Amino acid sequence: MYVVIVYDVAVERVNKVKKFLRRHLHWVQNSVFEGEVTLAEYERIKVGLRKLIDEDHDAVIIYKLRSMPPRETLGVEKNPIEDTI
């Protein structure tokens, strides 16, 4: 499955969340990651995020898709995802 994860967490947790997600997904821009994951990896990501965030104050949104959607970027793309075969 292809996932897009966006988050809004307290400043003291931002770097921990970013570091964690970089191990699993492609960093797209501030607070946005995406990539192809297995079901097991998806579950590990959710468990890891729950350990890092404060669910009473932070927010993480996960969009699950069947495959990588078509993308269009307006403005500067901070970390381009390259189409490789």
Side-chain angles (χ1 to χ4, degrees):
M1 86 182 74
Y2 197 85
V3 296
V4 177
I5 298 180
V6 296
Y7 59 92
D8 183 9
V9 299
V11 172
E12 61 268 15
R13 289 183 285 280
V14 168
N15 285 333
K16 289 178 184 177
V17 170
K18 186 165 116 180
K19 249 181 166 173
F20 172 77
L21 288 173
R22 275 192 167 168
R23 289 186 285 173
H24 301 281
L25 299 166
H26 182 77
W27 175 73
V28 179
Q29 65 181 40
N30 296 342
S31 303
V32 181
F33 284 81
E34 64 182 67
E36 191 75 36
V37 296
T38 65
L39 183 57
E41 192 172 20
Y42 171 72
E43 293 300 328
R44 280 193 301 273
I45 290 169
K46 286 196 321 185
V47 167
L49 287 171
R50 281 197 172 107
K51 289 178 182 177
L52 293 173
I53 69 167
D54 179 344
E55 291 190 56
D56 292 329
H57 297 94
D58 300 330
V60 176
I61 299 170
I62 303 172
Y63 297 95
K64 295 190 303 183
L65 307 162
R66 292 181 187 199
S67 62
M68 183 177 178
R71 299 174 86 239
E72 183 176 348
T73 302
L74 305 176
V76 177
E77 189 161 355
K78 293 191 178 218
N79 197 17
I81 297 175
E82 298 185 20
D83 294 326
T84 56
I85 297 176

